[in-house]
Amino acid sequence: MPIYRVTVVARSTKAINYNHRSGPTQIGFRGTALMPAARGEAKVESKQGVIKIDAQMQKLDPATKFGPEYLTYVMWAITPEGRATNVGEVLLSGNKTHLDATTELQSFGLIVTAEPYFAVTQPSDVVVMENFVTKTTTGTIEEVDAKYELLQRGQYTLNVSPGDVKPLRLDRKTPLELYEARNAVQIARWTGAEKYAADTFLKARKVCKMPKGTSKANRVRSPSAR
C-alpha cells in the first residue's frame, strides 16, 4: 500500500484591513515569479455586512502549464492569522479574467493559485498573483504580514505512476467544469477512494461519465484551467 503524506510550505502576503470604510477602494494585483507578466486590479467595497471584490486580471497563462493536474485558477482571501478561504474560481477568457466575489472577512490579503478544480479547500503552492496597495488606494489601510500554508506541488500525484499523468488537451466544446469534475474523481481514485468510499466514488464516476479504469490518457478526447 502506498504511504500518503501531505507536505505544506509557508508563504506570506499583505493582509489589508477594510473594516469601517465608507466607499470602495482600489488595490492592485501583480504576478509572482511563476507568472511575472500577470497583472490586474480590484475594487473592494463594504456592502451590507460583506466585502465585495470586483477584480480584473490580464496576461494569465493556462493553468495546465504548471502540470497536468492543474486545470483552473482560484482566488483566496488570507486572514492575518493565516486562514485561507476560497472566494471564487478565476475563469480565463483568452488571457484575461473578470471575477465578482464576496467575503465576510474584514481583514485579508488576496492571492490566486493554480488548482485541479474549483472546489478545493486548501491552496496549492502554485501562487501566480498577489494583491498590493497602489498609489490610488485611498483611506487609512492597515497592512499585516499574513503567513499561510500551501499544498506543495506534486501532492495530488504523489503515489501515481508517471505514465498515468498525461497532459490534457481540452476540447473547447466541452465545459471546463466537466473536466474539473473528472479531474476530482481521478484524484480521488489515486488516493484510494475506490476502496475506502466505494459507493460515493461509483456515483461520482457515473455523474462524470467516466468508465471504470479510465485514465487521463484516454478519458479526454482532446483542452482550459478553479
Side-chain angles (χ1 to χ4, degrees):
M1 292 295 295
I3 298 175
Y4 296 98
R5 68 178 187 274
V6 174
T7 303
V8 295
V9 294
R11 188 183 178 96
S12 64
T13 192
K14 293 294 183 182
I16 302 171
N17 189 348
Y18 298 101
N19 198 18
H20 306 306
R21 292 194 54 79
S22 58
T25 188
Q26 296 288 134
I27 60 170
F29 282 95
R30 56 184 160 219
T32 66
L34 294 179
M35 199 177 291
R39 55 186 172 81
E41 56 282 326
K43 180 175 73 172
V44 183
E45 185 175 9
S46 179
K47 291 255 186 184
Q48 297 179 344
V50 300
I51 301 294
K52 183 178 179 182
I53 304 162
D54 183 5
Q56 299 190 42
M57 289 163 277
Q58 305 85 36
K59 297 187 178 181
L60 280 81
D61 299 324
T64 49
K65 71 173 285 186
F66 299 108
E69 68 269 37
Y70 298 111
L71 294 183
T72 192
Y73 292 106
V74 169
M75 180 178 288
W76 303 85
I78 311 294
T79 69
E81 297 77 29
R83 179 166 61 91
T85 300
N86 183 330
V87 296
E89 183 177 19
V90 178
L91 291 169
L92 297 186
S93 176
N95 67 353
K96 300 179 181 180
T97 185
H98 178 215
L99 173 67
D100 284 322
T102 59
T103 178
E104 295 180 356
L105 300 173
Q106 297 294 316
S107 183
F108 56 88
L110 293 171
I111 64 169
V112 177
T113 63
E115 303 294 346
Y117 50 92
F118 73 92
V120 290
T121 57
Q122 184 172 3
S124 78
D125 69 349
V126 187
V127 181
V128 298
M129 299 192 78
E130 296 178 317
N131 69 186
F132 68 96
V133 176
T134 70
K135 293 181 179 179
T136 59
T137 302
T138 59
T140 302
I141 293 181
E142 172 192 352
E143 290 189 71
V144 180
D145 277 320
K147 294 184 179 180
Y148 56 99
E149 294 184 338
L150 302 164
L151 274 178
Q152 190 175 49
R153 203 182 311 189
Q155 294 302 304
Y156 293 109
T157 57
L158 184 64
N159 299 291
V160 184
S161 169
D164 278 349
V165 184
K166 302 290 185 180
L168 292 176
R169 298 193 325 170
L170 306 185
D171 183 354
R172 293 178 181 273
K173 296 180 180 179
T174 302
L176 175 60
E177 290 81 0
L178 180 57
Y179 285 120
E180 292 182 30
R182 290 175 174 175
N183 207 27
V185 172
Q186 184 76 314
I187 290 171
R189 184 177 70 83
W190 287 339
T191 55
E194 284 179 298
K195 176 180 179 181
Y196 300 108
D199 291 343
T200 302
F201 180 80
L202 179 61
K203 291 178 182 178
R205 194 179 64 216
K206 286 182 177 179
V207 169
C208 297
K209 299 179 181 179
M210 292 175 64
K212 188 176 181 179
T214 301
S215 69
K216 277 190 175 183
N218 56 29
R219 69 179 166 84
V220 178
R221 287 183 296 126
S222 66
S224 191
R226 216 90 154 252

